[in-house]
Amino acid sequence: MQIGMIGLGRMGANMVRRLQRGGHECVAFDRKPAATTEIAKDGARGFNTLPEFVAALKAPRAVWLMVPAAVVDKVIADLKPLLQPGDIIIDGGNSHYHDDIRRANELEASGLHYMDVGTSGGVLGLERGYCLMVGGTKENFARVEPVFATLAPGAGSEPSGVKGTATHGYLHCGAHGAGHFVKMVHNGIEYGLMAAYAEGFNILKHADAGLRTRETDAETAPLSNPDHFKYELDIGAVAELWRHGSIIGSSLLDLTAGALARDPRLEGFAGRVADSGEGRWTLQAAIEESVPAYVLSAALYSRFASRDRAEFADKILSAMRLGFGGHQEGSK
């Protein structure tokens, strides 16, 4: 199948490579000539102007966008005059599902189709494949399914009893917006999983607390029994251990073990953790649905704290303690 790809960043370029390897004909666009030159080495046709890119695609076209959510509307506005009724625009980034519903309605008035595809796999997707969560009509899903099937990992995991395309790593989740809704919650869960690993490894790292000298004063809670905390654990080895046969094994644990093997003290990281929006959107949906999401909200707030957004609140706490009890701040 012929497919157009706009955006040749880390994921977009590798998706083109995987599709080329799977026998598809890829036409690619990126404003950076170096990106299109590089992707041409893998057999794709690369262009640096949208008119040339669209002209190289046969109608009815399928154009996949792998661009930041903030620029999707701009790209669609530039692309729309060049397309014809029956063409499909596929947003494979991390747009808010509300935007998907709006875009589908706007494009339908011009005879254009729209699909939203939550895409998970990151930089490892070229070899492992991508998990694809698709929103749109069943007819358009069927039309683009050969592309989904090639990008997805394919069957291989232990069967759960569920039948259908989900066992191969791609699924038509529902109407417009459903794909990005499922991906939004997927990323919210990712926040929670990452936070759980981080907190657990942090507890392991400080299991030697009984070996260190601690201040003895009214401001510092003592260890109840220092002898209970005299373990100098090899955190990297524990991470590697858990990768083999443990119920908490996962791709995230694989990445953690690899990072600890390369940099046991993680000195290359400052610990300032960004959030790209999906965690917030997941909590907004939970609030609208009146559904509790304790873990996901705590994970998001911990990211805020990592960026010093709790600093002023901590100062308020210290000021109150000083005021009511004369408690002086200790050193860090």
Side-chain angles (χ1 to χ4, degrees), residues 175-200:
H176 296 116
H180 279 151
F181 187 90
V182 173
K183 178 58 160 56
M184 173 188 77
V185 177
H186 164 286
N187 284 21
I189 293 171
E190 180 183 295
Y191 281 29
L193 291 172
M194 293 172 72
Y197 280 125
E199 291 177 8

Side-chain angles (χ1 to χ4, degrees), residues 30 40 90 138 162 171 206 215 230 283 299:
D30 197 286
I90 305 162
K138 291 181 179 179
V162 174
L171 178 69
H206 290 90
E215 295 181 15
K230 291 186 175 181
L283 293 182

